[in-house]
Amino acid sequence: MRQEISLLGAKEIREIATSLDLVPSKGLGQNFVHDANTCEKLVRLAELKDSDRVVEIGPGLGSLTLALLRAGAAVTAVEIDKRLASRLPQTLREHGATDESFEVITKDAMQLRSEEIAEGSLLVANLPYNVSVPVILHILSMARISRAVVMVQSEVATRLAAQPGSKEYGVPSAKVAWFADAAIADRVSAKVFWPVPRVDSSLLTLRVHPPLSSEADRELTFKVIDTAFNQRRKMLRSSLESLISQYLPNQSSEEVLESSGIKPTERAESIQIEGFLAIAKTLQKR
Ligand code: SAM
């Protein structure tokens, strides 16, 4: 249900921070958005419907949380910083949110369990920069999210949305493709944050599709990806040689790659996620 909710302005954000004696932590990626238009842009991109449930990682002082609640979503906000998490309900209530419309979980998003996320939820978040990729992969791996809109460092957004054949294509691009199609929706100026970070940000949309295969296949596929990109300039026949010999000691890496439909002379950066999965499947045919 849409609620009569007011958003946070720059002055109020400073006031709340002062009342908490908060010195924004670099380690926790604490750059707070003090521009309501940016929060509304994230909400528009999420195409929220009234009945939607949203998981927000790192609500901070509540700027985006209020914009999500105003759009009618029910929000589960996961915040690692105890001071911010315990202050958040007060801020949300003072701005017109009802207690039934939000839940605050005080924990590291990497420790979030699937039963804490409602089936079909959206992930909408201004993510802490230093953990944005592992957090995205962790949340997607729980198979509860239907789509996502996240704000991340522009360089990370470029890597997540990169396609095979480009120099930005790497481990995050290949792994996220297991779960979703990632696309950059917009750039965001560093000026919308307090404190102003040294890097630009981008908005990334993730259209979630069914996982490509079983969890066991995913684990081995991710191992193949990590190994192949560990020596990304080498041809796969040599970058994957030792991994292949662990699984199939009696076959050459050329044979294994060819029977997976992959040219042994290719490099990791030209392989689609389906190709890495094909290699993982061949490795299991002991
Ligand atoms: N959403 C707020 C906004 O847009 O103003 C704050 C975003 S700030 C970039 C990132 C937030 O994530 C901070 O509040 C920080 O304390 C929190 N955070 C950092 N690491 C976290 C983790 N591992 N799990 C949950 N929250 C985390």
Side-chain angles (χ1 to χ4, degrees):
M1 209 185 68
R2 270 164 212 276
Q3 303 174 73
E4 286 300 316
I5 287 176
S6 54
L7 302 186
L8 279 176
K11 187 165 163 270
E12 203 179 347
I13 283 178
R14 299 294 179 89
E15 283 166 5
I16 301 173
T18 306
S19 75
L20 292 173
D21 272 338
L22 179 80
V23 178
S25 152
K26 263 198 185 155
L28 292 178
Q30 289 179 344
N31 298 96
F32 303 102
V33 174
H34 59 63
D35 171 55
N37 288 332
T38 304
C39 296
E40 286 179 322
K41 197 184 270 182
L42 266 143
V43 169
R44 267 199 308 281
L45 280 170
E47 298 170 3
L48 289 179
K49 293 187 301 298
D50 264 0
S51 51
D52 279 332
R53 293 204 66 92
V54 170
V55 179
E56 184 193 0
I57 304 301
L61 297 166
S63 322
L64 176 59
T65 324
L66 285 166
L68 292 165
L69 291 166
R70 181 151 95 167
V75 179
T76 299
V78 183
E79 174 59 59
I80 197 171
D81 186 324
K82 291 194 179 76
R83 292 165 308 168
L84 296 178
S86 58
R87 165 64 198 235
L88 187 61
Q90 182 190 335
T91 306
L92 301 182
R93 280 185 210 118
E94 283 172 0
H95 282 256
T98 58
D99 281 5
E100 310 77 62
S101 61
F102 66 85
E103 174 194 15
V104 180
I105 301 178
T106 311
K107 67 156 58 165
D108 179 347
M110 294 303 292
Q111 305 299 325
L112 205 58
R113 297 186 314 272
S114 61
E115 55 274 25
E116 293 172 291
I117 301 180
E119 186 80 49
S121 294
L122 282 82
L123 167 67
V124 186
N126 170 18
L127 290 171
Y129 287 168
N130 40 352
V131 289
S132 52
V133 172
V135 165
I136 290 172
L137 291 173
H138 176 62
I139 305 278
L140 290 176
S141 73
M142 291 188 276
R144 298 291 232 206
I145 297 292
S146 58
R147 59 182 190 281
V149 180
V150 290
M151 179 140 64
V152 292
Q153 199 177 323
S154 292
E155 193 195 316
V156 171
T158 305
R159 276 196 265 134
L160 285 166
Q163 296 300 312
S166 70
K167 70 177 188 321
E168 290 85 9
Y169 184 69
V171 172
S173 352
K175 287 185 178 174
V176 88
W178 181 272
F179 308 105
D181 298 319
I184 295 178
D186 213 343
R187 297 242 159 196
V188 178
S189 158
K191 288 187 201 136
V192 305
F193 299 98
W194 170 73
V196 179
R198 270 183 288 128
V199 290
D200 275 341
S201 298
S202 290
L203 300 177
L204 188 80
T205 58
L206 296 162
R207 299 265 158 212
V208 176
H209 52 65
L212 297 192
S213 190
S214 66
E215 186 54 19
D217 282 350
R218 181 186 73 78
E219 277 177 26
L220 187 50
T221 303
F222 279 20
K223 196 167 174 179
V224 173
I225 292 170
D226 287 331
T227 311
F229 279 103
N230 199 21
Q231 296 175 296
R232 64 179 291 147
R233 301 204 185 285
K234 287 198 173 169
M235 292 177 190
L236 292 171
R237 67 176 176 212
S238 60
S239 61
L240 291 179
E241 191 173 20
S242 94
L243 181 69
I244 288 173
S245 70
Q246 279 169 36
Y247 283 82
L248 300 168
N250 299 323
Q251 291 185 43
S252 72
S253 60
E254 279 90 351
E255 282 168 338
V256 170
L257 290 164
E258 266 159 13
S259 61
S260 312
I262 305 285
K263 277 200 213 130
T265 51
E266 298 237 56
R267 292 176 173 81
E269 64 200 23
S270 63
I271 307 298
Q272 306 261 12
I273 184 63
E274 290 81 1
F276 290 116
L277 170 61
I279 300 169
K281 287 199 161 170
T282 310
L283 293 183
Q284 292 171 89
K285 291 183 194 153
R286 287 176 200 244

